[in-house]
Amino acid sequence: MLRLALRDSLIYGSASILSRGLAIFLLPIYTRVLSPADYGVYDLLVTLVALANLVVALEVSQGLARYWADTGDAAARIRFASTALLFTLGMYLTICGLALVFAEPFTALLMGDVAYVDAFRLGMTFVVLNGLYYLVLNQFRWELRSREFAFISLGYAVLTLVFALGFCVLLDWGLEGVLLAQIAATLICLLVALWRLRSSFRPVFDTDALQRMLAFSLPLVPSGVAIFTSLYINRLALLQYASIEEVGLYGLATRIAGLITLLILGVQAALTPLVYQHARRPETPGQVARLFSWFSAVALLGCLGLGLLASELVNLFATAEYASAAPLVSILAPALLLSQMYVFAPGIGIRKKTLYQLVVTLSAAAVSMLANWILVPVFGMAGAAWATLLSSVVFLWGWFWVSQRLYPVPYEWRQLGLCLLAFIVCVLAGRVFETLSQPLLLEFVAKVIMLLLLALALVAFRLISVTELQAGYRMLRNRFGRS
């Protein structure tokens, strides 16, 4: 399993890096055609898309993933997949249709200005297409077709960039152009994915299959809402206590900090289906533990590097109007990464104890709401960032605590704790150095030195070994050498 996980993680991760790398070119476009207020509206609409993915189809995609892995019969698998697709289509058309009927009051409630009603309508169209695309794209994962998943994902990024250049730069359609670009790219990639998966779907709707999938996925819905609350309640808090402009600035900081999640997207896509299929093998827990240690080492370096370069990245991807977003990146990067690292604690999914997941996520959501309520009125955007980090820590700690009692994994906590301490020291040193007026060259050298010191600490504290680094290098060389 470890070899398959590394192989598929490389494929998924490469596709994610390439697609996000292309998508990052959208930031200079968006920040030049959108004011911070318009960007705030766009960020709220993207937030709606994230919420819809969690609640509209009742997380039936997760139920499909679980029963696809357990079912060996091809005809049964087609019934599960087809039922999930038709159910998702019906739910999205119903919910978003109602939203379009009452578009004006919803726009006034969400954005405080009915002038954005056209953007809201386009946003709802994107919600429907994205929900279908999300389910269909994940089908490649359940079938372990990692290369096709990568191809479609990369195509989506390329098309979004092309359409954004046309609609926003050439035609100057502003916020509506941004949304139309994503709608067009999603529709094309959805159709291509459906064609490639034509053998997996039929015009079949099996109520028994739906009941079984929903029995697994329904408890995940409130958990998903709780996760959403933990990560996105800050937008509503900023809208309530600050302004739509600060929502836009916070949204930009989140997208730059979100670069760190490139590290886990490949692992996340590959590990879950593989662990489900190999959970009963005695060597699987140890392999998960090693993957977690390797990932943690890379994650610590990535978070430090992103925090040290935050100001330069904001200057690169945005205009001077967005400069105040830079200090938030070093807080949001670890927060966003921690919220995704639950994949290394698979016990809840393996044992199908989704009620425990609900308890953990509700606890994190409660922390997030309380922290935002206390911190945002006093500290504004920084308060929202710290509230998100605190919530992510509570979430991940609770998830690992429960998972260890359901499916023990021999994590190397002592090594990780020492490396985390070294990371904190480097972060604090970087903050102190930023307060000093230094030549650019000296500042750059100091940042490189801090990264090197952390890398040495990771090896010295044995979170990752030199032998493993050499083996990884040989695997990559052999992999790309053959291709």
Side-chain angles (χ1 to χ4, degrees):
M1 189 205 77
L2 184 59
R3 192 174 193 81
L4 287 173
L6 290 173
R7 185 204 68 185
D8 285 355
S9 294
L10 180 60
I11 295 172
Y12 288 126
S14 298
S16 299
I17 290 171
L18 288 172
S19 59
R20 290 289 184 92
L22 289 171
I24 199 67
F25 288 108
L26 294 170
L27 282 181
I29 298 173
Y30 292 172
T31 55
R32 282 160 178 78
V33 300
L34 302 179
S35 66
D38 285 346
Y39 196 91
V41 171
Y42 168 72
D43 191 65
L44 288 174
L45 289 172
V46 172
T47 300
L48 275 182
V49 171
L51 177 61
N53 283 340
L54 293 170
V55 301
V56 172
L58 305 179
E59 288 278 43
V60 72
S61 176
Q62 298 303 315
L64 172 58
R66 194 66 189 94
Y67 283 99
W68 184 276
D70 279 352
T71 304
D73 180 62
R77 284 182 164 184
I78 289 175
R79 288 197 301 273
F80 277 110
S82 303
T83 300
L85 178 61
L86 292 174
F87 175 76
T88 300
L89 175 62
M91 292 295 289
Y92 269 96
L93 289 179
T94 301
I95 300 299
C96 293
L98 289 172
L100 288 173
V101 171
F102 300 101
E104 291 193 2
F106 276 131
T107 302
L109 177 66
L110 181 65
M111 301 163 192
D113 192 342
V114 76
Y116 290 109
V117 67
D118 289 338
F120 178 82
R121 292 191 178 105
L122 289 172
M124 289 302 99
T125 304
F126 179 50
V127 164
V128 174
L129 292 173
N130 184 265
L132 293 172
Y133 173 71
Y134 172 79
L135 179 132
V136 172
L137 184 66
N138 275 326
Q139 184 63 27
F140 289 114
R141 291 176 58 202
W142 315 146
E143 298 185 19
L144 303 181
R145 294 162 65 177
S146 55
R147 288 180 176 84
E148 291 176 271
F149 178 98
F151 175 79
I152 299 294
S153 300
L154 185 57
Y156 175 80
V158 171
L159 288 173
T160 303
L161 179 59
V162 170
F163 284 123
L165 288 171
F167 296 155
C168 300
V169 177
L170 297 180
L171 298 177
D172 194 22
W173 288 353
L175 179 58
E176 286 73 17
V178 169
L179 296 169
L180 282 170
Q182 296 195 307
I183 288 171
T186 306
L187 178 59
I188 292 173
C189 291
L190 172 62
L191 294 175
V192 172
L194 284 170
W195 172 253
R196 295 296 302 165
L197 290 165
R198 61 191 180 277
S199 62
S200 302
F201 297 110
R202 295 285 187 275
V204 175
F205 190 86
D206 187 328
T207 54
D208 179 65
L210 179 62
Q211 289 175 359
R212 293 170 68 185
M213 288 187 289
L214 292 181
F216 177 85
S217 68
L218 270 175
L220 302 178
V221 175
S223 300
V225 173
I227 293 172
F228 171 87
T229 301
S230 301
L231 294 177
Y232 291 99
I233 193 67
N234 40 52
R235 270 77 163 180
L236 299 180
L238 288 170
L239 193 62
Q240 174 69 31
Y241 296 112
S243 65
I244 191 69
E245 288 81 9
E246 291 202 35
V247 175
L249 293 170
Y250 189 90
L252 177 71
T254 300
R255 279 166 180 76
I256 293 176
L259 290 172
I260 197 65
T261 60
L262 290 174
L263 298 176
I264 201 170
L265 290 179
V267 178
Q268 194 174 41
L271 188 61
T272 300
L274 286 172
V275 169
Y276 281 166
Q277 292 191 23
H278 298 276
R280 294 182 179 88
R281 294 186 178 182
E283 70 272 15
T284 296
Q287 293 175 340
V288 171
R290 285 314 301 153
L291 283 172
F292 177 68
S293 294
W294 298 345
F295 178 81
S296 297
V298 177
L300 290 171
L301 282 172
C303 286
L304 179 61
L306 202 57
L308 292 175
L309 296 174
S311 296
E312 290 81 359
L313 290 171
V314 171
N315 291 334
L316 177 63
F317 294 122
T319 62
E321 291 180 287
Y322 293 86
S324 56
L328 306 178
V329 174
S330 61
I331 307 170
L332 289 172
L336 295 176
L337 196 58
L338 289 173
S339 70
Q340 301 298 315
M341 289 176 63
Y342 63 89
V343 294
F344 293 103
I348 293 175
I350 289 172
R351 305 302 183 201
K352 301 179 183 178
K353 301 293 186 179
T354 49
L355 181 60
Y356 292 112
Q357 178 176 336
L358 177 60
V359 173
V360 171
T361 52
L362 285 176
S363 300
V367 170
S368 179
M369 288 189 290
L370 180 62
N372 274 282
W373 179 65
I374 293 172
L375 298 176
V376 171
V378 180
F379 301 106
M381 295 185 296
W386 281 110
T388 303
L389 178 58
L390 178 61
S391 174
S392 295
V393 170
V394 170
F395 166 75
L396 192 64
W397 177 84
W399 192 287
F400 269 74
W401 188 84
V402 172
S403 180
Q404 282 295 86
R405 280 146 183 79
L406 299 173
Y407 187 79
V409 174
Y411 304 107
E412 297 174 335
W413 292 120
R414 180 176 177 276
Q415 290 91 326
L416 180 60
L418 291 171
C419 292
L420 183 59
L421 181 61
F423 168 78
I424 293 172
V425 170
C426 290
V427 169
L428 294 176
R431 286 293 183 90
V432 170
F433 196 85
E434 286 177 356
T435 63
L436 305 175
S437 180
Q438 301 290 342
L440 289 177
L441 180 59
L442 180 59
E443 183 177 340
F444 174 77
V445 170
K447 292 177 179 180
V448 171
I449 290 173
M450 278 183 275
L451 284 169
L452 290 175
L453 288 174
L454 179 59
L456 290 173
L458 297 176
V459 175
F461 294 137
R462 293 180 296 173
L463 192 63
I464 189 168
S465 69
V466 175
T467 303
E468 289 170 340
L469 289 172
Q470 291 172 340
Y473 169 75
R474 286 194 297 269
M475 185 190 72
L476 290 174
R477 185 184 60 187
N478 293 336
R479 181 86 185 163
F480 288 108
R482 287 196 304 269
S483 60

